[in-house]
Structures are given as structure tokens and as C-alpha cells.
Amino acid sequence: AYQNKSIFLGIRPENISDSPISNTSTEAEVRIDVIEPMGNEIFLYFQVDNEQFICRKTTHDLPAPGSMKKLYFDLSKLNFFDAETELII
């Protein structure tokens, strides 16, 4: 039903990690734009193809803004949305 239609891709911050999450994880090396310490966890803000993503991780490793970091996306946790209605597919 969505062939030749626009869709959006989404992934939750907890499904992006600095180590492989599952056997469906894929790796990407990204430049960290912003680091937001939140107590017992950190949010890492970065872009892939000019789209912003957020990784939620523990505080054991604090990368510097502007540094390159290898992150893993759990592809089994991707969400797809209808671009017109913004409803999940």
C-alpha cells in the first residue's frame, strides 16, 4: 500500500547503542554534535544524512563533542510512519 509513497523512519534513543544490541544491529560511525548528561545516563545527539538522531547510553564513557563514535542501530526496532498522516505503519 505504500509503494511509491513517502514514509518516515524512526528509532528510539534506547535502540541505538555503543555496542551491538542484537544480531539485527548495524554499525555507523558518526560525529557527536551534542552531549547531554542526565545523571545516570547520557544523550548523544548526532546526524546521519542531515537527520538528527539521539542515542541514550550509560555514563561510563563520555565522548567529547565533535568526536567520532561507532554506534549500533537495532534494525528490528525501526518504526515506519505514513508521511501524510504521521500514523505508524
Side-chain angles (χ1 to χ4, degrees):
Y2 288 93
Q3 186 174 354
N4 299 319
K5 290 188 176 183
S6 293
I7 61 171
F8 293 125
L9 167 73
I11 187 166
R12 294 182 181 274
E14 59 268 22
N15 296 319
I16 303 171
S17 178
D18 56 359
S19 61
I21 302 167
S22 70
N23 61 353
T24 61
S25 293
T26 191
E27 164 188 317
E29 189 159 357
V30 301
R31 181 177 313 282
I32 303 301
D33 296 321
V34 176
I35 298 166
E36 184 178 14
M38 301 293 288
N40 66 338
E41 61 188 9
I42 302 168
F43 292 127
L44 304 177
Y45 294 80
F46 60 96
Q47 292 188 21
V48 174
D49 292 334
N50 295 319
E51 296 294 332
Q52 183 174 319
F53 289 85
I54 304 169
C55 170
R56 188 175 96 190
K57 65 184 265 17
T58 62
T59 59
H60 74 279
D61 173 29
L62 185 63
S67 66
M68 298 301 290
K69 179 94 175 138
K70 197 176 288 188
L71 296 176
Y72 297 85
F73 295 71
D74 186 349
L75 299 181
S76 70
K77 303 294 184 174
L78 295 178
N79 297 300
F80 299 92
F81 300 89
D82 183 304
E84 286 183 31
T85 65
E86 297 184 1
L87 295 174
I88 195 162
I89 299 173

